[in-house]
Amino acid sequence: MHVMRCLFFLLVGVYSQWAFATLPIQHWQASSGARVYFVESRELPILDVSVDFSAGSSTDTREKSGRAGMTLYLSSLGAGGLTEDQISKALADVGAQLGAHFDEDRAGLTLRTLSSARERSQALDILGRVVQHPAFDINVLEREKARVVAGLREADTKPANIADRTLMKMLYGNHPYGLRGSGEIDSVSALQRQDLVDLHRSRYSAADAVVSIMGDVSRVEAAAIAESLTKDLVQEKPVYNLPEVTPPVADTNRISHPATQSHIQLAYPGLRRDDPDYFPLLVGNHILGGGGFTSRLMEEIRRKRGLAYSVHSHFSPLREQGPFEIGLQTQKEQSEEALALTRKILADFVAGGPTEEELGAAKQNIIGSFPLRIDSNRKIIGYLAMIGFYNLPLTYLDDYVKAVAKVTVSQISEAFRRRIDPAGMVAVVVGAENKK
């Protein structure tokens, strides 16, 4: 046992040094006001770029729900004098890939291209047009509104979507995090071109932009890229007015559905991205339900009782408290038993915390798998964007392993007792058993 502990802490040191040594993050501010995060990597002739803004779904209102997502999506469907077909062909011509990511807090555009001069120049020109000069063509907007509405109608029949949508409304109430990112049928149908133009003008600001660059370019070249991608954006920094998240009113919503299984979800306000309890809750959740087959929820619900094939729990940290969720599916006639057992397992964990054995296993699992989190440029650019957007330390990836290694049983117990109220959870059962 002593030898295993020594090996474990040796690995901690090796992995943390490796992460820091191979990811020297450079950071500066462009003349446009954008914050730039850069990692030079010459191993492959590849360049990855991400440009992020505080333009996620929490910037929507109930009347204009879906506006932020539509603004991001349409930005690549015509921009800077180019149609969507011309953009697609120009990217294909140089083998580049344009992508996007979107959540409650942020909206971002990504680019992967070869780093050779012609390919890089053409791909970056397209990205610059998309970020700074989206056309928001009215015909494209109407077409995409119809597509989204059709998707929403279909989604509203599926038990998983019904459960998720209902749960977030119960958890967040009138808070912007309770809005569905894709919007609602009525709100999407009512969107006008000017809505998208106004959001882009107010939220896609150079002063609020985070430009992340990873790959086969120099610091000088990276600086020029950041300048070219943000020089034409508005300079005013948007005002953040996101309210704090308040605890929900505990409730269980049982919804009839013809699905053969019941979809069960529970939630409570969880973590901010910069939360002081981040690592105790992260490691604790790995033990509770985020560690796959080794977690308590899987052990009790699947292995011992066979009530579900899979059960999981997770935190989704955001600028304010993102959701802590537990989810599973079970046979309808077992839904109440499975729900009651899930609540009991959570309550017991919050009351008693983990064992030293569970903690040791969780640490080894998290730290042992850490290199897989940063084993590609695509993964690293995602971390750079997150670090920049949430103003996390440049040593975040190095600190991650060290922080996990330092977590104690008492820290996990105190954090869960302080932050998660099992009796205050909201819950949804879609496909509840019909009582005769």
Side-chain angles (χ1 to χ4, degrees):
M1 186 61 124
H2 176 70
V3 173
M4 289 298 293
R5 277 200 297 267
C6 290
L7 286 173
F8 169 66
F9 286 109
L10 176 63
L11 284 172
V12 172
V14 169
Y15 283 143
S16 61
Q17 291 172 19
W18 179 81
F20 184 71
T22 56
L23 292 176
I25 301 174
Q26 302 180 54
H27 169 53
W28 66 91
Q29 188 172 44
S31 62
S32 63
R35 289 175 288 131
V36 187
Y37 294 78
F38 171 55
V39 172
E40 183 174 350
S41 176
R42 299 291 188 171
E43 285 76 15
L44 295 171
I46 298 292
L47 175 67
D48 284 281
V49 182
S50 177
V51 189
D52 287 80
F53 303 92
S54 296
S57 62
S58 62
T59 63
D60 287 337
T61 63
R62 293 195 177 279
E63 294 74 24
K64 297 187 183 298
S65 179
R67 177 182 61 167
M70 188 69 75
T71 299
L72 175 65
Y73 184 66
L74 254 68
S75 63
S76 63
L77 302 183
L82 300 179
T83 66
E84 59 179 309
D85 286 341
Q86 289 172 326
I87 289 174
S88 179
K89 289 177 181 177
L91 292 170
D93 178 54
V94 294
Q97 298 174 346
L98 191 65
H101 48 258
F102 181 75
D103 60 25
E104 291 89 340
D105 288 339
R106 57 180 173 151
L109 289 152
T110 63
L111 175 73
R112 164 162 281 202
T113 180
L114 293 171
S115 58
S116 46
R118 173 182 172 267
E119 286 77 8
R120 184 178 77 195
S121 176
Q122 184 162 314
L124 286 170
D125 174 68
I126 296 298
L127 180 61
R129 293 171 189 247
V130 168
V131 169
Q132 299 173 102
H133 303 290
F136 300 130
D137 181 271
I138 185 65
N139 294 320
V140 176
L141 173 60
E142 291 303 317
R143 182 193 73 201
E144 292 306 312
K145 282 166 57 176
R147 181 187 61 80
V148 171
V149 167
L152 290 171
R153 292 189 194 280
E154 181 180 2
D156 287 346
T157 68
K158 298 182 180 301
N161 294 82
I162 295 170
D164 185 67
R165 181 186 181 198
T166 304
L167 190 74
M168 290 302 102
K169 286 183 177 181
M170 294 172 67
L171 179 63
Y172 288 113
N174 292 323
H175 192 280
Y177 282 172
L179 298 173
R180 182 159 56 170
S182 54
E184 305 297 337
I185 292 173
D186 291 344
S187 63
V188 170
S189 299
L191 285 176
Q192 301 296 314
R193 179 181 183 275
Q194 193 61 43
D195 295 324
L196 279 57
V197 171
D198 291 344
L199 180 70
H200 189 273
R201 185 179 295 125
S202 64
R203 286 287 174 173
Y204 286 66
S205 160
D208 191 52
V210 175
V211 181
S212 308
I213 302 171
M214 166 78 186
D216 183 25
V217 292
S218 67
R219 162 71 181 257
V220 172
E221 291 169 323
I225 290 170
E227 295 287 351
S228 69
L229 293 176
T230 57
K231 60 184 175 61
D232 294 339
L233 293 171
V234 296
Q235 299 293 314
E236 296 79 12
K237 190 168 185 175
V239 178
Y240 302 132
N241 54 5
L242 194 62
E244 291 185 0
V245 174
T246 57
V249 176
D251 191 15
T252 300
N253 194 338
R254 294 172 174 83
I255 301 172
S256 297
H257 194 279
T260 57
Q261 288 196 322
S262 294
H263 291 246
I264 301 173
Q265 293 190 29
L266 303 90
Y268 197 75
L271 278 169
R272 298 186 306 277
R273 179 58 71 174
D274 60 352
D275 204 298
D277 285 327
Y278 183 91
F279 287 100
L281 291 177
L282 172 78
V283 178
N285 178 69
H286 189 89
I287 298 166
L288 173 65
F293 286 99
T294 63
S295 72
R296 281 199 190 180
L297 286 168
M298 284 288 277
E299 172 71 11
E300 297 294 330
I301 293 176
R302 172 179 167 157
R303 196 186 73 81
K304 289 186 178 180
R305 296 172 178 83
L307 291 174
Y309 178 77
S310 177
V311 56
H312 66 276
S313 65
H314 65 271
F315 286 94
S316 300
L318 296 169
R319 180 167 277 151
E320 290 296 330
Q321 287 177 283
F324 165 66
E325 296 181 67
I326 301 175
L328 66 151
Q329 296 177 39
T330 189
Q331 296 299 315
K332 285 188 175 183
E333 62 272 14
Q334 300 174 332
S335 60
E336 292 304 317
E337 179 186 359
L339 177 60
L341 180 60
T342 301
R343 291 186 184 278
K344 183 180 184 304
I345 295 168
L346 175 62
D348 289 346
F349 186 81
V350 171
T355 65
E356 289 288 352
E357 183 179 2
E358 287 176 320
L359 176 59
K363 286 182 179 182
Q364 290 189 48
N365 196 338
I366 295 170
I367 293 172
S369 63
F370 180 76
L372 298 177
R373 294 173 177 265
I374 52 174
D375 65 356
S376 70
N377 288 18
R378 195 182 301 275
K379 292 178 183 179
I380 293 170
I381 197 74
Y383 274 112
L384 285 182
M386 182 195 73
I387 289 168
F389 185 82
Y390 290 108
N391 287 302
L392 300 176
L394 296 183
T395 58
Y396 174 83
L397 291 173
D398 184 43
D399 296 341
Y400 188 99
V401 170
K402 296 175 182 177
V404 168
K406 291 178 180 178
V407 170
T408 66
V409 165
S410 62
Q411 287 176 336
I412 294 173
S413 299
E414 291 168 7
F416 267 84
R417 283 197 296 266
R418 184 169 57 247
R419 304 299 297 278
I420 303 298
D421 177 13
M425 302 277 284
V426 292
V428 178
V429 181
V430 178
E433 183 183 10
N434 293 321
K435 298 294 184 180
K436 300 293 186 180

